[in-house]
Amino acid sequence: MLFSLVVPTLGRVEELHALLLSLTKQDIQSFEVIIVDQNDDDRLLPVIATFGDRLTIRHIRSPVRRCNHARNLGARHATGDIITFPDDDCEYPPDVLSQVEARFRTQPELGFLTGSVILPGGQAGRSGRWLAHDSAIDGQTVWTCLIEFNLFIRRSIFDAVGGFDEAIGPGTPFGSGEGQDLALRMLARKVTGFYAYTLKIIHPDKPVVLNVARAFLYGRGVGRVMRKNGCDRETVARFLVRPIGGVAVHLAKFDMLVARYYLMTFLGRLAGYGNAVPSGR
């Protein structure tokens, strides 16, 4: 089983080096790395050269600075059976690919597999509400058991659903939710998805100040994905009410920064859900 790891990257050098180094330590080495370089200079050439004799790397340039465009571009060059999209600032523990291979080999009905997040120090990641047990992925768990950099898909299925929606995600006015959108489209085709609690990828949490700056865009993406995929009213209401609760709790603590984060998240989700969604992918 061959894996294709598509890595969109912009502005990061040391982080990409750390990711590639972690890949050299994988239990299995049956994979290719497709780096989609959105930089306008040659900063990545020394990093790629460092690992040229240890990893199979394809370096693709893209003048378009939009994450899902880069993912789809890289996917068009993929030759693997399983495709995945690690962030350029994450790292793989040594058993990630061997875990994934075992799942797909023993579960031929499996179309896509997800896992959770740990911080560089080994603690549980705070971004996301990760279940502490394995679970099937459905219209509810897709919101609590999935993140793009820990998502593995049979390439034939990825191609069949048309890849990522390039109108959402980082670099667009709808800054998140692209993984959920892709999974919901797969689920609509009766594709089986599964969340493996022990499948963990290392990724740093972003500081709250940075999160506040992008909370509206991220919220807007989630709202748009819910509207686009016809999510039920209960799910929509829950995602609108939850950040309002966060505002109230943190105002009571006089924690204005976090309260503002939740407020911008709410406003973004509301705006995204109200945005007209064109037909198509």
Side-chain angles (χ1 to χ4, degrees), residues 195-251:
Y195 166 79
Y197 170 66
T198 58
L199 178 61
K200 300 177 185 295
I201 285 179
I202 301 166
H203 190 275
D205 270 346
K206 300 298 187 293
V208 172
V209 173
L210 178 59
N211 283 341
V212 169
R214 64 185 184 178
F216 182 82
L217 287 179
Y218 274 39
R220 202 166 182 234
V222 169
R224 182 179 176 92
V225 168
M226 289 192 295
R227 178 71 175 272
K228 174 187 173 185
N229 291 280
C231 290
D232 62 87
R233 292 183 179 181
E234 181 181 347
T235 299
V236 174
R238 185 172 70 251
F239 272 78
L240 291 177
V241 169
R242 185 179 292 159
I244 291 297
V247 173
V249 167
H250 290 281
L251 280 178

Side-chain angles (χ1 to χ4, degrees), residues 41-255:
D41 55 30
D42 294 330
R43 71 183 69 192
L44 296 186
L45 295 185
V47 178
I48 294 169
T50 297
F51 294 95
D53 60 345
R54 288 182 280 174
L55 298 171
T56 301
I57 298 176
R58 180 172 296 182
H59 181 206
I60 300 170
R61 302 268 194 172
S62 174
V64 179
R65 292 185 171 183
R66 203 162 62 239
C67 191
N68 285 336
H69 172 85
R71 287 167 173 154
N72 288 341
L73 175 61
R76 290 196 290 272
H77 292 267
T79 62
D81 309 290
I82 306 297
I83 191 164
T84 188
F85 301 89
D87 280 0
D88 58 2
D89 60 345
C90 70
E91 297 177 46
Y92 276 22
D95 65 342
V96 166
L97 293 182
S98 57
Q99 278 196 64
V100 175
E101 182 179 52
R103 291 277 183 179
F104 278 105
R105 284 197 184 281
T106 58
Q107 298 175 250
E109 76 285 359
L110 187 63
F112 66 98
L113 179 68
T114 79
S116 60
V117 183
I118 55 175
L119 301 179
Q123 312 96 312
R126 293 183 290 276
S127 57
R129 297 171 179 267
W130 309 109
L131 293 183
H133 55 81
D134 290 355
S135 175
I137 299 292
D138 57 27
Q140 298 300 315
T141 57
V142 71
W143 300 101
T144 58
C145 297
L146 186 148
I147 197 162
E148 292 77 22
F149 60 77
N150 199 347
L151 175 60
F152 297 82
I153 310 168
R154 293 193 190 273
R155 189 165 62 91
S156 58
I157 293 173
F158 180 85
D159 292 342
V161 298
F164 285 98
D165 183 345
E166 296 183 17
I168 59 177
T172 78
F174 304 92
S176 72
E178 67 270 27
Q180 281 74 25
D181 174 70
L182 178 60
L184 286 167
R185 286 188 279 122
M186 290 190 286
L187 292 172
R189 293 184 176 224
K190 309 301 182 185
V191 174
T192 298
F194 192 78
Y195 166 79
Y197 170 66
T198 58
L199 178 61
K200 300 177 185 295
I201 285 179
I202 301 166
H203 190 275
D205 270 346
K206 300 298 187 293
V208 172
V209 173
L210 178 59
N211 283 341
V212 169
R214 64 185 184 178
F216 182 82
L217 287 179
Y218 274 39
R220 202 166 182 234
V222 169
R224 182 179 176 92
V225 168
M226 289 192 295
R227 178 71 175 272
K228 174 187 173 185
N229 291 280
C231 290
D232 62 87
R233 292 183 179 181
E234 181 181 347
T235 299
V236 174
R238 185 172 70 251
F239 272 78
L240 291 177
V241 169
R242 185 179 292 159
I244 291 297
V247 173
V249 167
H250 290 281
L251 280 178
K253 296 178 180 178
F254 298 100
D255 190 342

